[in-house]
Amino acid sequence: MKEKIPPLQLCKCLALLLIILGLSACAHFNAHDNDDRYQGGTGDLGLIIERTEGSVLLVNTSQRQVIKRIQGLGDLSHASIVYSRDQRYGYVFGRDGGLSKVDLLRGEVVKRVIQAGNSIGGAISQDGAYVAVSNYDPGGVNIFDSEDLDLVASIPATRVTQERAEKGSKTVGLVDAPNNRFVVSLFDSDEIWILDMADNDPASGLQPKITRFTQIGRQPYDALITPEGRYYLAGLFGDNGMAKLDLWRPQAGVQRIMPAYGPGEQRLPVYKMPHLEGWTQAGRYLFAPGVGHHEVIVIDAYDWRIVRRIPTYSQPVFVMAQPDARRVWVNFAHPDNDRVQVIDVESLQVVNTIEAGKAVLHMAFTPKGDQLWISLRDDNRVDIYDPYSMQRSGSLPATHPSGIFFTDRANRIGL
Amino acid sequence: MKEKIPPLQLCKCLALLLIILGLSACAHFNAHDNDDRYQGGTGDLGLIIERTEGSVLLVNTSQRQVIKRIQGLGDLSHASIVYSRDQRYGYVFGRDGGLSKVDLLRGEVVKRVIQAGNSIGGAISQDGAYVAVSNYDPGGVNIFDSEDLDLVASIPATRVTQERAEKGSKTVGLVDAPNNRFVVSLFDSDEIWILDMADNDPASGLQPKITRFTQIGRQPYDALITPEGRYYLAGLFGDNGMAKLDLWRPQAGVQRIMPAYGPGEQRLPVYKMPHLEGWTQAGRYLFAPGVGHHEVIVIDAYDWRIVRRIPTYSQPVFVMAQPDARRVWVNFAHPDNDRVQVIDVESLQVVNTIEAGKAVLHMAFTPKGDQLWISLRDDNRVDIYDPYSMQRSGSLPATHPSGIFFTDRANRIGL
């Protein structure tokens, strides 16, 4: 059986090839007149990380095509992107500490700074003025002017002693929050900090007011903020449960919720720490990867209790709700990263298991949810699905694609 | 006292004048090179209706300035706007039945059709392919190709007999819904229809599949769809309560909810029908204008019960939540349309009453909620507020401004 390709399989392969060829043929970067700018609106654009190439693909979701490959972005393993207020620029956070500003209209890198030795993501302030980066090495948070990427504040992390040396705590789970704040977790010092850019005194340079919450639980490893920007939730590597900060009532401090969330007693080896950005809210429920378990956890966002554990194919990595909250799509950790499962939000059941391809690394819905894009790293392509029929409707070639970031993130708190 | 302007008042006036002059001075439409296109991203743009002028102002919320006035749009009383998938084009629905396609990059009307005698708003499909318009006269819904505004389907309304003549029912409350559907209410025939564009058979031309719900309650006058696109709620002019359609379970039919919502026994004269688009969801609560009462109604979106009636200054028209769901802003019907009240979502109390100016007609938050824009028709200006300090931070001149529509609507279901 291994030698023979079944006819249906062959048909599928040919169909896919035709789709790829068709789409490649019309890929271009010349929707412009007499200069080399892209001349359309920016509402249907996105960037896709090509992790091994140090490049991003500029894509258009209306024409469903690659507009241009933009190169020279350094080490993009674990890279992420936020967008400027006007959606013209993407800020790419590389693992090598690189922060790059990409102009979507010109299709080029306009500025690039190496701002630390090893970084793990960033955020843009609500007003669009500041880009913040959280760093592993040397720890802390650097804040840049979003226009020119000039460093405007460098916030050192709490010092910790590790292996007899003193260093700054790694910072993780950096997000933007309403009223021009950033929130970040400190892995090594068990803290959550609010960095307030709103009450800044321009006379003394940028000095964000820092509110520190200590002993929030051991080793916060990532965090998320709920879609409206009220609750900041940090996952704990060294404790069960999660640390919750209500940004409407910071004076109430950080609370521990969901003691049953986390590795627990019967833990499986954790092949990949799930992304908390992969959490998702659909109506009153939050859907989260069960850390080290083959399950998706359903949490009631009103009382923070776990209401269901949905068995899944393997250990979930990203758990993404359709914009219409009707279904939740899940991908899995290595070596089971060939499939995607679909959960029905009403019945809380898995309703479909899709053999998507080799190494599903990320998924992203178009803003109103008419398309789902899935990156298949080891198949060197990005597939487009109709979320309603759950059928593949297109495919684009890409070199080891990972994260997919559409420009509507510019309009969303915490993204 | 009427003859003398108090010093504080004078200071305020001068400050405002300076703000207006400062902003006017830098208003321009030349952020471009060698053609006359606007050359930025489209994520921070918007259009503001100038209702008596038949014009719209193209604005930028980052520079907080008017880019250009675009004229020739006909009767814009009660006009509204939706945006193309790429955010390049605005579709303006005029009261005179005009449908105009405005190019934000070129700052001009690219196409205009008079599609009916009297219309009342429209919607764009989830995939961006279709623009639908609901009409009073001759009733029914017209559906256009979003590219060229060619009419692709004309859906007649149920015939009704009025004053011994037969006519098509007025259609109202038209919205887009997930899976490429439109939903609309029929005022004169007490119906709600789903128009399904997804299961269309291209061979026979565009023939949306229509699902009809009859006897849904007397005279649905407007409707809204919840932010994720699940619940369609129609207000009833001739009945108390609202008609609710769960689009996840259309087979369950339309239910009547909130029997205590509506004019009731002790009704005051209704000076202006509240806009149901002015409903808003903040966390688990929906906030709605109390029809014919001086109150905002708070509804639990889980069991559809009224949990609070918040007394307000006058009869609310628009009830708008900040994107961070922290506060809700309310404007009022004539003759009390000079003020805006702010409700704290946690305490459900009015926390501020702002003397905003003459004839507050509309309010709109920038996508992430860093600014609130308020149109003051009879003061001929649009004011910009910081929603956190609740202080005015800027002002733009405009001629009898009404509706304010930012381009992030392109990314939102039902807007």
Side-chain angles (χ1 to χ4, degrees), chain A residues 9 56 71 80 105 123 191 258 288-289 318 376-377:
Chain A
Q9 206 69 358
V56 293
Q71 291 171 308
S80 62
L105 296 184
E191 292 173 273
M258 295 185 292
F318 283 103
L376 300 156
R377 184 191 60 198

Side-chain angles (χ1 to χ4, degrees), chain B residues 212-224:
Chain B
R212 295 174 173 83
F213 302 91
T214 57
Q215 296 182 300
I216 58 103
R218 274 175 295 174
Q219 296 175 316
Y221 65 90
D222 195 5
L224 70 98

Side-chain angles (χ1 to χ4, degrees), chain B residues 75-113:
Chain B
D75 179 0
L76 294 184
S77 54
H78 219 283
S80 62
I81 300 175
V82 299
Y83 288 97
S84 65
R85 204 173 179 289
D86 63 356
Q87 294 181 337
R88 175 170 179 170
Y89 301 101
Y91 300 92
V92 183
F93 306 103
R95 188 57 189 264
D96 56 1
L99 166 61
S100 308
K101 182 174 178 177
V102 173
D103 184 344
L104 273 62
L105 297 183
R106 290 202 179 275
E108 63 189 24
V109 178
V110 290
K111 184 125 189 198
R112 176 167 164 78
V113 295

Side-chain angles (χ1 to χ4, degrees), chain A residues 351-364:
Chain A
V351 292
N352 202 354
T353 302
I354 297 167
E355 292 185 32
K358 290 188 195 147
V360 176
L361 286 205
H362 199 218
M363 303 177 288

Side-chain angles (χ1 to χ4, degrees), chain A residues 37 39 42-43 61-62 85-87 105 126 176 228 248-249 302 324-325 346 368 370 388 411-412, chain B residues 37 39 42-44 61-62 85-87 105 126 176 248-249 302 325 346 368 370 388 411-412:
Chain A
R37 294 191 194 197
Q39 297 284 359
T42 51
T61 67
S62 299
R85 201 173 182 291
D86 63 355
Q87 294 182 336
L105 296 184
Q126 183 183 29
D176 65 288
E228 83 296 296
W248 290 12
R249 296 169 164 273
Y302 296 105
D324 67 3
E346 199 164 31
K368 285 174 83 167
D370 55 332
Y388 298 97
N411 293 336
R412 318 274 185 191
Chain B
R37 295 193 194 196
Q39 297 284 358
T42 51
D44 55 356
T61 67
S62 299
R85 204 173 179 289
D86 63 356
Q87 294 181 337
L105 297 183
Q126 184 184 30
D176 65 288
W248 291 12
R249 297 169 165 273
Y302 296 105
E346 200 165 31
K368 287 174 82 167
D370 55 332
Y388 298 96
N411 294 334
R412 319 272 186 193

Side-chain angles (χ1 to χ4, degrees), chain A residues 31-35 37-44 60-62 85-88 105-106 124-128 176 178-180 227-230 246-249 283-285 302 323-327 345-346 366-371 386 388 407-415, chain B residues 31-35 37-44 60-62 85-88 105-106 124-128 176 178-180 227-230 246-249 283-285 302 323-327 345-346 366-371 386 388 407-415:
Chain A
H32 36 66
D33 293 352
N34 38 15
D35 71 4
R37 294 191 194 197
Y38 180 77
Q39 297 284 359
T42 51
D44 56 355
N60 176 308
T61 67
S62 299
R85 201 173 182 291
D86 63 355
Q87 294 182 336
R88 174 170 180 171
L105 296 184
R106 290 201 179 276
I124 187 162
S125 60
Q126 183 183 29
D127 68 357
D176 65 288
N179 206 5
N180 241 29
E228 83 296 296
R230 174 168 183 179
D246 180 351
L247 293 167
W248 290 12
R249 296 169 164 273
R284 79 184 283 169
Y285 293 135
Y302 296 105
D324 67 3
R326 186 72 188 88
R327 297 196 189 111
V345 167
E346 199 164 31
T366 50
K368 285 174 83 167
D370 55 332
Q371 300 169 20
D386 174 342
Y388 298 97
T407 52
D408 66 304
R409 286 174 175 254
N411 293 336
R412 318 274 185 191
I413 293 165
L415 295 180
Chain B
H32 37 67
D33 294 352
N34 38 16
D35 71 5
R37 295 193 194 196
Y38 180 78
Q39 297 284 358
T42 51
D44 55 356
N60 176 309
T61 67
S62 299
R85 204 173 179 289
D86 63 356
Q87 294 181 337
R88 175 170 179 170
L105 297 183
R106 290 202 179 275
I124 186 164
S125 61
Q126 184 184 30
D127 68 356
D176 65 288
N179 206 6
N180 243 29
E228 84 296 296
R230 176 170 181 177
D246 180 352
L247 292 168
W248 291 12
R249 297 169 165 273
R284 78 183 284 169
Y285 293 134
Y302 296 105
D324 68 3
R326 186 73 188 86
R327 297 196 189 112
V345 167
E346 200 165 31
T366 50
K368 287 174 82 167
D370 55 332
Q371 300 168 20
D386 173 342
Y388 298 96
T407 52
D408 65 305
R409 286 175 175 253
N411 294 334
R412 319 272 186 193
I413 293 165
L415 296 179

Side-chain angles (χ1 to χ4, degrees), chain B residues 31-326:
Chain B
H32 37 67
D33 294 352
N34 38 16
D35 71 5
D36 60 352
R37 295 193 194 196
Y38 180 78
Q39 297 284 358
T42 51
D44 55 356
L45 302 182
L47 294 172
I48 299 176
I49 306 282
E50 294 186 311
R51 50 187 285 147
T52 54
E53 307 298 297
S55 55
V56 292
L57 295 177
L58 174 62
V59 297
N60 176 309
T61 67
S62 299
Q63 274 79 52
R64 299 150 64 107
Q65 68 186 24
V66 175
I67 298 170
K68 193 179 181 185
R69 172 173 282 121
I70 302 164
Q71 291 170 308
L73 292 152
D75 179 0
L76 294 184
S77 54
H78 219 283
S80 62
I81 300 175
V82 299
Y83 288 97
S84 65
R85 204 173 179 289
D86 63 356
Q87 294 181 337
R88 175 170 179 170
Y89 301 101
Y91 300 92
V92 183
F93 306 103
R95 188 57 189 264
D96 56 1
L99 166 61
S100 308
K101 182 174 178 177
V102 173
D103 184 344
L104 273 62
L105 297 183
R106 290 202 179 275
E108 63 189 24
V109 178
V110 290
K111 184 125 189 198
R112 176 167 164 78
V113 295
I114 299 294
Q115 57 84 44
N118 187 337
S119 76
I120 192 70
I124 186 164
S125 61
Q126 184 184 30
D127 68 356
Y130 304 110
V131 173
V133 191
S134 60
N135 292 315
Y136 273 10
D137 177 17
V141 174
N142 285 337
I143 299 178
F144 298 86
D145 183 309
S146 65
E147 280 291 321
D148 51 21
L149 298 194
D150 282 354
L151 182 71
V152 289
S154 187
I155 299 162
T158 303
R159 306 293 291 178
V160 292
T161 304
Q162 279 185 347
E163 293 165 6
R164 298 192 189 158
E166 203 186 52
K167 61 182 278 285
S169 171
K170 289 192 280 289
T171 54
V172 297
L174 174 65
V175 299
D176 65 288
N179 206 6
N180 243 29
R181 290 176 291 179
F182 292 113
V183 190
V184 67
S185 294
L186 287 80
F187 180 84
D188 301 298
S189 57
D190 304 339
E191 293 174 272
I192 293 173
W193 288 6
I194 298 173
L195 312 177
D196 192 337
M197 317 295 288
D199 290 337
N200 190 51
D201 173 15
S204 59
L206 188 76
Q207 294 291 343
K209 194 179 128 207
I210 303 175
T211 308
R212 295 174 173 83
F213 302 91
T214 57
Q215 296 182 300
I216 58 103
R218 274 175 295 174
Q219 296 175 316
Y221 65 90
D222 195 5
L224 70 98
I225 190 163
T226 49
E228 84 296 296
R230 176 170 181 177
Y231 297 106
Y232 180 84
L233 305 174
L236 301 172
F237 192 73
D239 267 317
N240 279 322
M242 299 195 78
K244 172 178 75 91
L245 176 61
D246 180 352
L247 292 168
W248 291 12
R249 297 169 165 273
Q251 68 280 9
V254 172
Q255 272 119 35
R256 187 75 60 87
I257 56 168
M258 295 185 292
Y261 184 77
E265 297 299 312
Q266 305 296 322
R267 68 167 79 187
L268 299 173
V270 178
Y271 291 107
K272 175 158 176 53
M273 285 310 289
H275 286 270
L276 293 189
E277 198 220 321
W279 280 45
T280 204
Q281 191 158 1
R284 78 183 284 169
Y285 293 134
L286 281 160
F287 293 79
V291 183
H293 292 281
H294 291 193
E295 58 191 24
V296 165
I297 308 292
V298 186
I299 299 145
D300 188 324
Y302 296 105
D303 55 15
W304 303 103
R305 283 183 312 141
I306 294 173
V307 295
R308 192 74 68 94
R309 293 170 180 274
I310 303 171
T312 53
Y313 170 60
S314 183
Q315 292 184 22
V317 177
F318 283 102
V319 177
M320 313 286 267
Q322 293 180 195
D324 68 3
R326 186 73 188 86

